Amino acid sequence: MRIEILNTGTELLLGTTLNSHGAWLGKELLNLGLRVAKQTTVPDGMPVVEAMKESVERADVLIVTGGLGPTSDDLTREATAEAMGVELIEDEHALRCVVEFFERLGKPMADSNKKQALIPCGAEVLPNPNGTAPGVYVPPRLGKSSPCAVFLLPGPPNELYPMYRAEVPHRLRALAEIADDHRMLELRFTGVGESSFHERLDANLHSMAGLEVGYCARPSEVDLRLIGSSAVVAQARDFALSEYPEHLISENGSSIEEVVVQLLADQGKKLSTAESCTGGRISSRITDVSGASAVFTHGFVTYSNEAKQELLGVGAEILEEFGAVSEEVATAMAEGALRASKADIAVAVTGIAGPTGGSAEKPVGTVWLGFAAKGDNAYAIEQFWPRDRESFKACVSQKALDMVRRYLLFGA
């Protein structure tokens, strides 16, 4: 099925409003196993008519956002009627929806709002409890020149998203003849490179009949997308986990920080951090998660040697002998954070983000990560990420969170 998206609105092209509809709709359609073939953005007015005529000739389904308001430049309904070769009529149900919305607000309705009750003849009205503009579904049988199904959805996200979820997926399932036993699963992994991950899994996954496989890489993460019947998706999932049993972050799109906060809450444990080269990135990611206040106690940002000594109790002799970026200092930082915060777990990082400050012995990108937990010996591991500062900090914070995740799940 060829699906196109047509976004209307001059503000989208002027840059005053971020066009996020395509990404959102693409993800929602992917949940059905469907794809967006083309996305077009046009200003208000006559360009909508031209774009609509082109799209209905190519597409099996066209999803249009915006242009359903009462003003003179809102021409999506008119464009649809012209492109599909049908007339516009005032729909009694649509008009009642508009009138009732103003009645709920206790405000008078301007005559211009009656325009929002105009519907292509034979189309279906899609209720909009969150705004004045009803949506419209034009079934493919109405098309005079081509059998294209058209969905007209409002532009504001608080109206578009609920309407889409209530009115569109079941119609798309019927149009695409999607079987009920259809599933999409996204597995999120960390600590493995995309190329090696792909090479290790791909041949086996592609041998599974009826399975569609996709990969998406981000710094220190790889998503594995599986689409197919419940049985084949479960088979593919089991295989992927057998190859990477300790690398899985989540199966529901949760980030590693969300997983860590949930694990801490489930186990009744508290975490503290001690950061040098990341400058608070780890604690920021943790506190981005709702509920972090129940599990996160302290975030020490000890960028200077003096701060490491004063706040964490790192010995001056250790700093002098081994340097700030060392196994000994990272371990001492973790132990100091654990001691000062009285938390159950502490993670610490110290490294060289660059682009300056490196040496032959400790080049830019070197980092030591320390870990300490009550009742266990503290330790540190060395990593090397010779990247720009932003990417370096992202990788270091990811690894630090993964050390916490692995400890909570596997005890190491």
Side-chain angles (χ1 to χ4, degrees):
M1 174 179 282
R2 181 181 175 86
I3 300 176
E4 294 194 12
I5 297 172
L6 175 60
N7 298 304
T8 71
T10 302
E11 69 279 3
L12 302 178
L13 294 171
L14 294 177
T16 57
T17 299
L18 178 65
N19 183 8
S20 59
H21 290 344
W24 189 87
L25 288 168
K27 188 171 183 180
E28 291 292 313
L29 290 167
L30 191 60
N31 289 333
L32 299 174
L34 300 174
R35 305 288 185 279
V36 178
K38 185 181 180 70
Q39 179 180 194
T40 306
T41 303
V42 295
D44 295 312
M46 288 307 297
V48 179
V49 179
E50 298 167 6
M52 180 82 73
K53 287 181 176 180
E54 294 176 5
S55 290
V56 297
E57 291 295 326
R58 289 189 304 259
D60 300 303
V61 174
L62 175 62
I63 300 175
V64 187
T65 70
L68 300 180
T71 60
S72 59
D73 59 356
D74 288 317
L75 296 177
T76 297
R77 298 179 197 81
E78 292 82 349
T80 304
E82 185 173 341
M84 304 296 284
V86 297
E87 64 175 320
L88 279 177
I89 61 171
E90 184 175 279
D91 184 89
E92 182 178 347
H93 174 59
L95 181 60
R96 190 66 215 158
C97 289
V98 178
V99 171
E100 288 178 351
F101 183 84
F102 282 96
E103 288 177 346
R104 289 198 301 271
L105 293 179
K107 296 181 178 180
M109 186 185 83
D111 285 341
S112 60
N113 285 102
K114 291 182 179 179
K115 174 184 177 181
Q116 295 176 297
L118 294 175
I119 302 297
C121 185
E124 300 176 29
V125 176
L126 306 181
N128 182 7
N130 302 294
T132 62
V136 178
Y137 170 55
V138 184
R141 58 181 167 77
L142 295 186
K144 302 300 183 184
S145 59
S146 59
C148 178
V150 180
F151 293 90
L152 308 184
L153 306 178
N158 67 314
E159 299 178 36
L160 188 158
Y161 299 167
M163 184 184 292
Y164 171 90
R165 285 176 169 155
E167 304 294 340
V168 179
H170 67 278
R171 290 181 168 91
L172 287 178
R173 283 183 177 275
L175 290 168
E177 299 181 349
I178 297 174
D180 290 336
D181 183 26
H182 179 86
R183 185 183 179 198
M184 186 189 81
L185 179 66
E186 279 193 334
L187 304 174
R188 180 164 294 178
F189 295 83
T190 190
V192 58
E194 181 186 23
S195 57
S196 58
F197 184 78
H198 170 275
E199 190 170 308
R200 190 163 167 180
L201 299 181
D202 206 50
N204 198 306
L205 290 176
H206 279 288
S207 71
M208 300 179 187
L211 179 70
E212 181 178 336
V213 180
Y215 303 89
C216 179
R218 291 178 301 280
S220 301
E221 288 185 353
V222 180
D223 286 354
L224 173 63
R225 184 175 64 251
L226 306 171
I227 301 175
S229 68
S230 296
V232 73
V233 167
Q235 180 187 358
R237 172 194 177 275
D238 290 346
F239 169 68
L241 294 189
S242 71
E243 294 294 313
Y244 293 99
E246 296 186 4
H247 294 77
L248 179 71
I249 298 174
S250 67
E251 301 182 39
N252 60 1
S254 294
S255 64
I256 192 169
E257 49 265 38
E258 290 172 328
V259 170
V260 165
V261 168
Q262 188 61 56
L263 287 171
L264 288 165
D266 292 343
Q267 297 183 24
K269 296 184 185 300
K270 295 185 182 296
L271 172 69
S272 66
T273 61
E275 303 181 60
S276 181
C277 57
T278 47
R281 175 69 64 88
I282 304 167
S283 58
S284 176
R285 290 179 64 172
I286 293 168
T287 55
D288 281 343
V289 181
S290 176
S293 59
V295 299
F296 185 64
T297 64
H298 294 66
F300 299 99
V301 179
T302 55
Y303 212 67
S304 68
N305 286 350
E306 291 77 15
K308 293 178 178 65
Q309 296 175 68
E310 294 172 8
L311 296 178
L312 302 176
V314 178
E317 66 283 358
I318 296 178
L319 286 161
E320 184 176 347
E321 181 177 356
F322 300 103
V325 180
S326 63
E327 177 180 10
E328 292 76 10
V329 169
T331 304
M333 287 174 64
E335 291 174 324
L338 192 70
R339 181 174 56 252
S341 67
K342 297 181 173 58
D344 301 288
I345 301 168
V347 64
V349 296
T350 177
I352 307 168
T356 61
S359 66
E361 296 77 20
K362 298 177 183 180
V364 169
T366 302
V367 62
W368 280 92
L369 301 99
F371 187 89
K374 285 183 177 178
D376 290 315
N377 293 326
Y379 70 93
I381 60 172
E382 185 181 23
Q383 299 285 291
F384 184 55
W385 287 293
R387 305 180 181 183
D388 62 89
R389 288 179 73 88
E390 179 64 25
S391 299
F392 173 82
K393 292 166 78 171
C395 291
V396 174
S397 63
Q398 181 82 2
K399 182 62 179 180
L401 289 168
D402 194 41
M403 291 172 73
V404 179
R405 180 191 70 87
R406 286 172 174 267
Y407 177 81
L408 293 169
L409 284 175
F410 310 115

